[in-house]
Amino acid sequence: MSLPTRVRIVEVGPRDGLQNEKTIIAAADKIELINRLSDTGLRSIEATSFVSPKWVPQLADAAEVYAGITRRDGVAYPVLVPNLQGYERARAVGATEVAVFSAASEAFNRKNINASIDESIERFLPVLERAAADQVKVRGYVSTVLGCPYQGDVAVADVVRVARRMHALGCYEISLGDTIGMGTPGKARAMLRAVAGEVPMAALAVHFHDTRGQALANILACLEEGVAVVDAAISGTGGCPYAPGASGNVASEDVVYMLEGMGIDTGVDLAKLVATGRWLAARLGRASGSKVTLAAH
Ligand code: HMG
Ligand code: MG
Protein backbone atom coordinates (compact mmCIF):
# COMPACT_ATOMS: atom_id res chain seq x y z
CA MET A 1 0.00 0.00 0.00
CA SER A 2 1.80 3.11 -1.17
CA LEU A 3 0.21 6.43 -1.94
CA PRO A 4 1.22 8.47 -5.01
CA THR A 5 3.30 11.57 -4.29
CA ARG A 6 1.53 13.57 -6.97
CA VAL A 7 -2.06 13.45 -8.25
CA ARG A 8 -3.51 15.04 -11.38
CA ILE A 9 -7.01 16.35 -10.86
CA VAL A 10 -9.25 16.43 -13.91
CA GLU A 11 -11.69 19.26 -13.28
CA VAL A 12 -15.00 18.28 -14.82
CA GLY A 13 -17.22 21.02 -13.36
CA PRO A 14 -17.72 23.05 -16.54
CA ARG A 15 -19.00 19.89 -18.28
CA ASP A 16 -20.25 17.24 -15.83
CA GLY A 17 -21.14 19.96 -13.32
CA LEU A 18 -23.02 22.38 -15.51
CA GLN A 19 -24.74 19.71 -17.64
CA ASN A 20 -27.05 18.90 -14.75
CA GLU A 21 -27.60 22.19 -12.94
CA LYS A 22 -31.15 23.60 -12.88
CA THR A 23 -29.85 27.09 -13.48
CA ILE A 24 -28.32 27.55 -16.91
CA ILE A 25 -25.63 30.19 -16.64
CA ALA A 26 -24.62 32.47 -19.50
CA ALA A 27 -21.84 31.51 -21.90
CA ALA A 28 -19.83 34.48 -20.59
CA ASP A 29 -20.03 33.05 -17.06
CA LYS A 30 -18.95 29.61 -18.28
CA ILE A 31 -15.97 31.25 -19.98
CA GLU A 32 -15.12 33.16 -16.81
CA LEU A 33 -15.41 29.93 -14.80
CA ILE A 34 -12.94 28.10 -17.05
CA ASN A 35 -10.55 31.05 -17.08
CA ARG A 36 -10.66 31.23 -13.29
CA LEU A 37 -10.06 27.48 -13.03
CA SER A 38 -7.10 27.84 -15.42
CA ASP A 39 -5.52 30.19 -12.88
CA THR A 40 -5.67 27.73 -9.97
CA GLY A 41 -2.91 25.38 -11.14
CA LEU A 42 -5.26 22.71 -12.52
CA ARG A 43 -3.73 20.97 -15.55
CA SER A 44 -6.85 19.33 -17.02
CA ILE A 45 -10.17 21.14 -17.32
CA GLU A 46 -13.02 19.46 -19.19
CA ALA A 47 -14.54 22.52 -20.79
CA THR A 48 -17.90 21.44 -22.23
CA SER A 49 -19.56 18.76 -24.34
CA PHE A 50 -20.53 18.61 -27.99
CA VAL A 51 -23.53 16.32 -27.57
CA SER A 52 -27.02 16.89 -28.95
CA PRO A 53 -28.40 20.20 -27.61
CA LYS A 54 -31.80 18.52 -27.49
CA TRP A 55 -30.44 15.98 -25.03
CA VAL A 56 -28.37 18.43 -22.94
CA PRO A 57 -29.65 22.00 -23.44
CA GLN A 58 -27.42 23.26 -20.60
CA LEU A 59 -24.38 22.92 -22.89
CA ALA A 60 -25.94 24.00 -26.19
CA ASP A 61 -23.48 26.92 -26.23
CA ALA A 62 -20.43 24.59 -26.33
CA ALA A 63 -18.89 26.20 -29.42
CA GLU A 64 -19.25 29.73 -28.10
CA VAL A 65 -17.78 28.74 -24.74
CA TYR A 66 -14.85 26.81 -26.16
CA ALA A 67 -14.01 29.57 -28.64
CA GLY A 68 -14.19 32.17 -25.86
CA ILE A 69 -11.82 30.70 -23.27
CA THR A 70 -8.20 31.69 -22.88
CA ARG A 71 -6.23 28.50 -23.24
CA ARG A 72 -3.24 28.50 -20.96
CA ASP A 73 -0.01 26.70 -21.89
CA GLY A 74 0.35 23.42 -20.04
CA VAL A 75 -3.39 23.06 -19.40
CA ALA A 76 -5.48 20.53 -21.36
CA TYR A 77 -9.09 21.41 -22.18
CA PRO A 78 -10.78 18.14 -23.21
CA VAL A 79 -14.40 18.17 -24.41
CA LEU A 80 -16.93 15.34 -24.40
CA VAL A 81 -18.03 14.02 -27.82
CA PRO A 82 -20.45 11.10 -28.45
CA ASN A 83 -19.90 10.72 -32.20
CA LEU A 84 -18.21 12.14 -35.28
CA GLN A 85 -20.66 15.04 -35.46
CA GLY A 86 -19.59 16.10 -31.98
CA TYR A 87 -15.91 15.65 -32.90
CA GLU A 88 -16.29 17.87 -35.95
CA ARG A 89 -18.05 20.58 -33.95
CA ALA A 90 -15.26 20.43 -31.38
CA ARG A 91 -12.49 20.57 -33.97
CA ALA A 92 -14.16 23.51 -35.72
CA VAL A 93 -13.45 25.62 -32.63
CA GLY A 94 -9.94 24.24 -32.14
CA ALA A 95 -10.29 21.46 -29.54
CA THR A 96 -7.11 19.37 -29.25
CA GLU A 97 -8.36 16.80 -26.77
CA VAL A 98 -11.70 14.98 -26.66
CA ALA A 99 -13.37 12.41 -24.43
CA VAL A 100 -15.60 9.59 -25.62
CA PHE A 101 -17.92 7.66 -23.34
CA SER A 102 -19.63 4.34 -22.88
CA ALA A 103 -20.84 2.35 -19.90
CA ALA A 104 -20.55 -1.04 -18.30
CA SER A 105 -24.35 -1.30 -18.20
CA GLU A 106 -26.46 -1.81 -21.33
CA ALA A 107 -29.54 -0.25 -19.72
CA PHE A 108 -27.75 2.98 -18.81
CA ASN A 109 -26.16 3.33 -22.24
CA ARG A 110 -29.57 3.00 -23.87
CA LYS A 111 -31.04 5.81 -21.73
CA ASN A 112 -27.99 8.05 -21.91
CA ILE A 113 -27.11 7.84 -25.58
CA ASN A 114 -29.82 5.69 -27.16
CA ALA A 115 -27.35 2.95 -28.04
CA SER A 116 -26.03 -0.38 -26.80
CA ILE A 117 -22.46 -0.60 -25.54
CA ASP A 118 -21.28 -2.02 -28.88
CA GLU A 119 -23.18 0.63 -30.86
CA SER A 120 -21.72 3.41 -28.72
CA ILE A 121 -18.23 2.11 -29.45
CA GLU A 122 -19.00 1.85 -33.17
CA ARG A 123 -20.14 5.48 -33.10
CA PHE A 124 -16.89 6.69 -31.68
CA LEU A 125 -14.58 4.46 -33.74
CA PRO A 126 -14.45 7.10 -36.50
CA VAL A 127 -13.68 9.67 -33.79
CA LEU A 128 -10.66 7.64 -32.71
CA GLU A 129 -9.49 7.26 -36.31
CA ARG A 130 -9.81 10.94 -37.06
CA ALA A 131 -8.26 11.91 -33.74
CA ALA A 132 -5.21 9.73 -34.44
CA ALA A 133 -4.77 11.41 -37.83
CA ASP A 134 -5.27 14.88 -36.31
CA GLN A 135 -2.98 14.17 -33.32
CA VAL A 136 -5.89 14.83 -30.98
CA LYS A 137 -5.72 13.04 -27.62
CA VAL A 138 -8.72 10.93 -26.64
CA ARG A 139 -9.78 10.17 -23.10
CA GLY A 140 -12.41 7.48 -22.46
CA TYR A 141 -15.10 7.18 -19.81
CA VAL A 142 -16.71 3.99 -18.60
CA SER A 143 -19.87 4.82 -16.64
CA THR A 144 -21.82 2.81 -14.05
CA VAL A 145 -18.72 0.95 -12.86
CA LEU A 146 -20.15 0.38 -9.37
CA GLY A 147 -23.86 0.24 -10.09
CA CYS A 148 -26.54 1.35 -12.51
CA PRO A 149 -29.74 3.29 -11.86
CA TYR A 150 -31.69 0.98 -14.19
CA GLN A 151 -29.97 -2.39 -13.93
CA GLY A 152 -28.73 -2.30 -10.31
CA ASP A 153 -25.57 -4.34 -9.83
CA VAL A 154 -22.92 -4.25 -12.55
CA ALA A 155 -20.48 -7.14 -12.93
CA VAL A 156 -16.81 -6.18 -12.53
CA ALA A 157 -16.10 -8.33 -15.60
CA ASP A 158 -18.26 -5.97 -17.69
CA VAL A 159 -16.30 -2.95 -16.45
CA VAL A 160 -13.01 -4.68 -17.27
CA ARG A 161 -14.21 -5.65 -20.76
CA VAL A 162 -15.33 -2.14 -21.75
CA ALA A 163 -12.29 -0.43 -20.20
CA ARG A 164 -9.88 -2.84 -21.91
CA ARG A 165 -11.59 -2.33 -25.27
CA MET A 166 -11.56 1.47 -25.05
CA HIS A 167 -7.91 1.46 -24.04
CA ALA A 168 -7.01 -0.96 -26.85
CA LEU A 169 -8.81 1.30 -29.32
CA GLY A 170 -6.53 4.19 -28.42
CA CYS A 171 -7.92 6.08 -25.42
CA TYR A 172 -4.82 7.26 -23.55
CA GLU A 173 -6.67 7.28 -20.23
CA ILE A 174 -9.80 5.51 -18.99
CA SER A 175 -11.87 7.25 -16.36
CA LEU A 176 -13.93 4.83 -14.29
CA GLY A 177 -17.23 6.50 -13.41
CA ASP A 178 -19.39 5.75 -10.39
CA THR A 179 -22.23 7.61 -12.07
CA ILE A 180 -24.76 7.54 -9.24
CA GLY A 181 -22.37 7.19 -6.32
CA MET A 182 -23.27 3.63 -5.32
CA GLY A 183 -19.74 2.49 -4.52
CA THR A 184 -18.13 1.88 -1.15
CA PRO A 185 -14.35 1.67 -0.60
CA GLY A 186 -13.94 -2.12 -0.67
CA LYS A 187 -15.93 -2.43 -3.89
CA ALA A 188 -14.17 0.53 -5.48
CA ARG A 189 -10.77 -0.97 -4.66
CA ALA A 190 -11.72 -4.41 -6.00
CA MET A 191 -13.12 -2.93 -9.22
CA LEU A 192 -10.00 -0.82 -9.79
CA ARG A 193 -7.72 -3.76 -9.07
CA ALA A 194 -9.57 -5.91 -11.60
CA VAL A 195 -9.38 -3.23 -14.31
CA ALA A 196 -5.70 -2.62 -13.55
CA GLY A 197 -5.11 -6.29 -14.31
CA GLU A 198 -5.88 -5.46 -17.97
CA VAL A 199 -5.17 -1.74 -18.38
CA PRO A 200 -2.01 -0.17 -16.88
CA MET A 201 -2.75 1.73 -13.68
CA ALA A 202 -0.95 4.76 -15.15
CA ALA A 203 -3.72 4.90 -17.78
CA LEU A 204 -6.58 4.86 -15.25
CA ALA A 205 -8.54 7.61 -13.51
CA VAL A 206 -11.40 7.50 -11.01
CA HIS A 207 -14.61 9.54 -11.25
CA PHE A 208 -16.89 9.49 -8.22
CA HIS A 209 -20.25 11.14 -7.81
CA ASP A 210 -20.92 11.84 -4.14
CA THR A 211 -24.57 10.82 -3.99
CA ARG A 212 -24.18 8.79 -0.81
CA GLY A 213 -21.22 10.64 0.73
CA GLN A 214 -18.74 7.89 -0.15
CA ALA A 215 -16.61 9.69 -2.73
CA LEU A 216 -13.62 10.77 -0.61
CA ALA A 217 -13.41 7.36 1.07
CA ASN A 218 -13.58 5.68 -2.34
CA ILE A 219 -10.87 7.97 -3.71
CA LEU A 220 -8.58 7.18 -0.78
CA ALA A 221 -9.09 3.44 -1.32
CA CYS A 222 -8.22 3.86 -5.00
CA LEU A 223 -5.14 5.98 -4.24
CA GLU A 224 -3.92 3.18 -1.98
CA GLU A 225 -4.42 0.85 -4.92
CA GLY A 226 -2.15 3.07 -7.04
CA VAL A 227 -4.35 5.39 -9.09
CA ALA A 228 -2.96 8.93 -9.50
CA VAL A 229 -5.63 10.70 -11.58
CA VAL A 230 -8.86 11.86 -9.94
CA ASP A 231 -11.85 13.58 -11.57
CA ALA A 232 -13.69 16.18 -9.50
CA ALA A 233 -16.05 19.12 -10.02
CA ILE A 234 -15.76 22.60 -8.58
CA SER A 235 -18.37 23.24 -5.89
CA GLY A 236 -19.57 19.62 -6.15
CA THR A 237 -21.71 20.57 -9.10
CA GLY A 238 -23.65 18.35 -11.41
CA GLY A 239 -24.60 14.81 -12.20
CA CYS A 240 -25.88 13.05 -15.27
CA PRO A 241 -29.33 14.05 -16.55
CA TYR A 242 -29.93 10.46 -17.68
CA ALA A 243 -28.96 8.89 -14.35
CA PRO A 244 -31.79 9.46 -11.86
CA GLY A 245 -30.35 9.99 -8.40
CA ALA A 246 -26.94 11.14 -9.62
CA SER A 247 -25.89 14.06 -7.45
CA GLY A 248 -22.82 16.15 -8.01
CA ASN A 249 -19.31 14.91 -8.50
CA VAL A 250 -17.05 14.98 -5.50
CA ALA A 251 -16.08 18.63 -4.95
CA SER A 252 -12.63 19.55 -6.27
CA GLU A 253 -11.99 21.75 -3.23
CA ASP A 254 -12.57 18.79 -0.89
CA VAL A 255 -10.32 16.50 -2.93
CA VAL A 256 -7.49 19.06 -2.97
CA TYR A 257 -7.88 19.65 0.77
CA MET A 258 -7.67 15.92 1.49
CA LEU A 259 -4.73 15.28 -0.83
CA GLU A 260 -2.65 18.28 0.25
CA GLY A 261 -3.44 17.40 3.88
CA MET A 262 -1.94 13.96 3.24
CA GLY A 263 1.18 15.50 1.69
CA ILE A 264 0.17 14.58 -1.87
CA ASP A 265 0.99 17.31 -4.37
CA THR A 266 -1.85 18.45 -6.65
CA GLY A 267 -0.28 21.65 -7.94
CA VAL A 268 -3.59 23.40 -7.17
CA ASP A 269 -3.93 26.60 -5.13
CA LEU A 270 -6.76 25.74 -2.71
CA ALA A 271 -7.55 29.36 -1.83
CA LYS A 272 -8.07 30.23 -5.50
CA LEU A 273 -10.18 27.12 -5.99
CA VAL A 274 -12.38 27.98 -3.01
CA ALA A 275 -12.83 31.54 -4.30
CA THR A 276 -13.82 30.17 -7.72
CA GLY A 277 -16.26 27.72 -6.15
CA ARG A 278 -17.88 30.53 -4.14
CA TRP A 279 -18.15 32.67 -7.24
CA LEU A 280 -19.81 29.79 -9.15
CA ALA A 281 -22.25 28.99 -6.32
CA ALA A 282 -23.37 32.64 -6.37
CA ARG A 283 -23.90 32.45 -10.14
CA LEU A 284 -25.93 29.25 -9.71
CA GLY A 285 -27.89 30.79 -6.84
CA ARG A 286 -27.23 27.94 -4.46
CA ALA A 287 -24.92 26.93 -1.63
CA SER A 288 -21.60 25.38 -2.59
CA GLY A 289 -21.52 21.59 -2.56
CA SER A 290 -17.99 21.71 -1.12
CA LYS A 291 -17.66 21.24 2.64
CA VAL A 292 -14.23 22.90 2.54
CA THR A 293 -15.71 25.99 0.88
CA LEU A 294 -18.57 26.14 3.41
CA ALA A 295 -16.03 25.95 6.25
CA ALA A 296 -13.63 28.56 4.83
CA HIS A 297 -13.89 32.14 6.09
P1 HMG B 1 -30.01 10.10 -31.10
O1 HMG B 1 -31.27 10.89 -31.03
O2 HMG B 1 -30.07 8.62 -30.94
O3 HMG B 1 -29.09 10.39 -32.38
O4 HMG B 1 -29.02 10.71 -30.02
P2 HMG B 1 -29.26 10.65 -33.88
O5 HMG B 1 -27.95 10.30 -34.47
O6 HMG B 1 -30.51 9.99 -34.37
O7 HMG B 1 -29.44 12.24 -33.97
C1 HMG B 1 -30.60 12.91 -33.53
C2 HMG B 1 -30.41 14.40 -33.67
O8 HMG B 1 -29.29 14.82 -32.85
C3 HMG B 1 -30.08 14.86 -35.08
O9 HMG B 1 -30.61 16.16 -35.23
C4 HMG B 1 -28.57 14.97 -35.08
O10 HMG B 1 -28.09 15.87 -36.02
C5 HMG B 1 -28.33 15.49 -33.67
P3 HMG B 1 -32.05 16.42 -35.93
O11 HMG B 1 -31.93 15.82 -37.29
O12 HMG B 1 -33.06 15.69 -35.05
O13 HMG B 1 -32.17 17.92 -35.87
N1 HMG B 1 -26.98 15.17 -33.16
C6 HMG B 1 -26.11 16.09 -32.70
N2 HMG B 1 -26.20 17.42 -32.56
C7 HMG B 1 -25.13 18.05 -32.04
N3 HMG B 1 -24.00 17.41 -31.66
C8 HMG B 1 -23.88 16.09 -31.78
C9 HMG B 1 -24.97 15.37 -32.33
N4 HMG B 1 -25.17 14.05 -32.60
C10 HMG B 1 -26.40 13.95 -33.11
N5 HMG B 1 -22.77 15.47 -31.39
C11 HMG B 1 -26.85 11.21 -29.11
C12 HMG B 1 -27.72 10.19 -29.84
C13 HMG B 1 -25.57 10.49 -28.70
C14 HMG B 1 -26.55 12.36 -30.04
C15 HMG B 1 -27.64 11.70 -27.88
O14 HMG B 1 -28.12 10.61 -27.20
C16 HMG B 1 -26.81 12.56 -26.96
O15 HMG B 1 -26.35 13.63 -27.33
N6 HMG B 1 -26.64 12.09 -25.70
C17 HMG B 1 -25.80 12.81 -24.77
C18 HMG B 1 -26.19 12.46 -23.37
C19 HMG B 1 -25.21 13.12 -22.43
O16 HMG B 1 -24.54 14.08 -22.75
N7 HMG B 1 -25.16 12.59 -21.20
C20 HMG B 1 -24.27 13.09 -20.21
C21 HMG B 1 -22.83 12.81 -20.49
S1 HMG B 1 -22.28 11.21 -19.95
C22 HMG B 1 -21.97 11.43 -18.25
O17 HMG B 1 -22.28 12.44 -17.69
C23 HMG B 1 -21.24 10.34 -17.50
C24 HMG B 1 -19.78 10.71 -17.21
O18 HMG B 1 -19.69 11.91 -16.45
C25 HMG B 1 -19.09 9.58 -16.44
C26 HMG B 1 -19.90 9.11 -15.22
O19 HMG B 1 -20.27 9.92 -14.36
O20 HMG B 1 -20.09 7.89 -15.14
C27 HMG B 1 -18.99 10.92 -18.51
MG1 MG C 1 -19.97 12.00 -14.31
Side-chain angles (χ1 to χ4, degrees):
M1 199 167 79
S2 69
L3 290 164
T5 53
R6 194 140 208 242
V7 160
R8 176 163 58 89
I9 294 184
V10 178
E11 170 57 54
V12 296
R15 193 278 304 171
D16 203 350
L18 297 184
Q19 78 181 7
N20 202 37
E21 288 292 327
K22 277 192 216 88
T23 308
I24 303 187
I25 62 172
D29 286 335
K30 294 175 182 170
I31 292 167
E32 180 167 353
L33 170 64
I34 296 165
N35 289 344
R36 281 176 179 249
L37 290 168
S38 296
D39 192 40
T40 62
L42 283 160
R43 285 173 292 145
S44 290
I45 304 171
E46 197 172 61
T48 184
S49 75
F50 291 87
V51 295
S52 159
K54 286 187 195 137
W55 284 62
V56 183
Q58 288 91 333
L59 301 181
D61 54 7
E64 182 183 353
V65 170
Y66 197 89
I69 61 177
T70 306
R71 280 184 278 166
R72 190 180 272 245
D73 281 349
V75 181
Y77 299 92
V79 296
L80 200 70
V81 301
N83 52 21
L84 197 53
Q85 190 174 340
Y87 179 82
E88 279 165 355
R89 289 176 60 213
R91 288 292 288 158
V93 287
T96 53
E97 180 170 335
V98 298
V100 294
F101 54 109
S102 189
S105 139
E106 290 289 356
F108 175 73
N109 240 348
R110 183 62 64 195
K111 296 274 187 190
N112 192 37
I113 48 176
N114 196 22
S116 68
I117 296 172
D118 284 348
E119 283 163 355
S120 70
I121 293 176
E122 269 158 41
R123 276 182 190 168
F124 62 66
L125 279 180
V127 171
L128 288 161
E129 269 170 37
R130 286 274 296 277
D134 297 345
Q135 290 180 312
V136 164
K137 287 176 81 179
V138 185
R139 194 168 196 252
Y141 284 102
V142 183
S143 285
T144 60
V145 297
L146 291 166
C148 165
Y150 306 104
Q151 166 186 319
D153 286 346
V154 170
V156 169
D158 292 340
V159 181
V160 173
R161 182 172 49 82
V162 179
R164 183 180 51 213
R165 186 149 172 222
M166 290 176 76
H167 184 251
L169 286 170
C171 295
Y172 78 92
E173 186 168 279
I174 305 295
S175 175
L176 300 164
D178 185 12
T179 318
I180 57 163
M182 284 174 82
T184 44
K187 286 185 182 159
R189 184 196 301 275
M191 181 276 301
L192 177 64
R193 188 176 290 173
V195 177
E198 302 280 337
V199 179
M201 188 65 86
L204 294 175
V206 290
H207 178 111
F208 288 105
H209 287 260
D210 201 24
T211 319
R212 293 173 182 77
Q214 305 296 301
L216 285 178
N218 290 340
I219 290 170
L220 180 55
C222 291
L223 293 172
E224 287 173 352
E225 207 53 45
V227 85
V229 184
V230 176
D231 296 1
I234 185 79
S235 231
T237 40
C240 174
Y242 296 99
S247 74
N249 292 75
V250 65
S252 311
E253 300 92 312
D254 299 1
V255 174
V256 170
Y257 181 86
M258 180 179 86
L259 294 174
E260 296 286 341
M262 296 174 70
I264 298 173
D265 180 25
T266 62
V268 178
D269 181 325
L270 182 59
K272 284 185 177 175
L273 202 59
V274 165
T276 303
R278 272 220 181 97
W279 172 88
L280 177 62
R283 282 286 177 283
L284 291 170
R286 68 168 181 79
S288 172
S290 154
K291 292 252 164 74
V292 167
T293 296
L294 293 178
H297 298 290

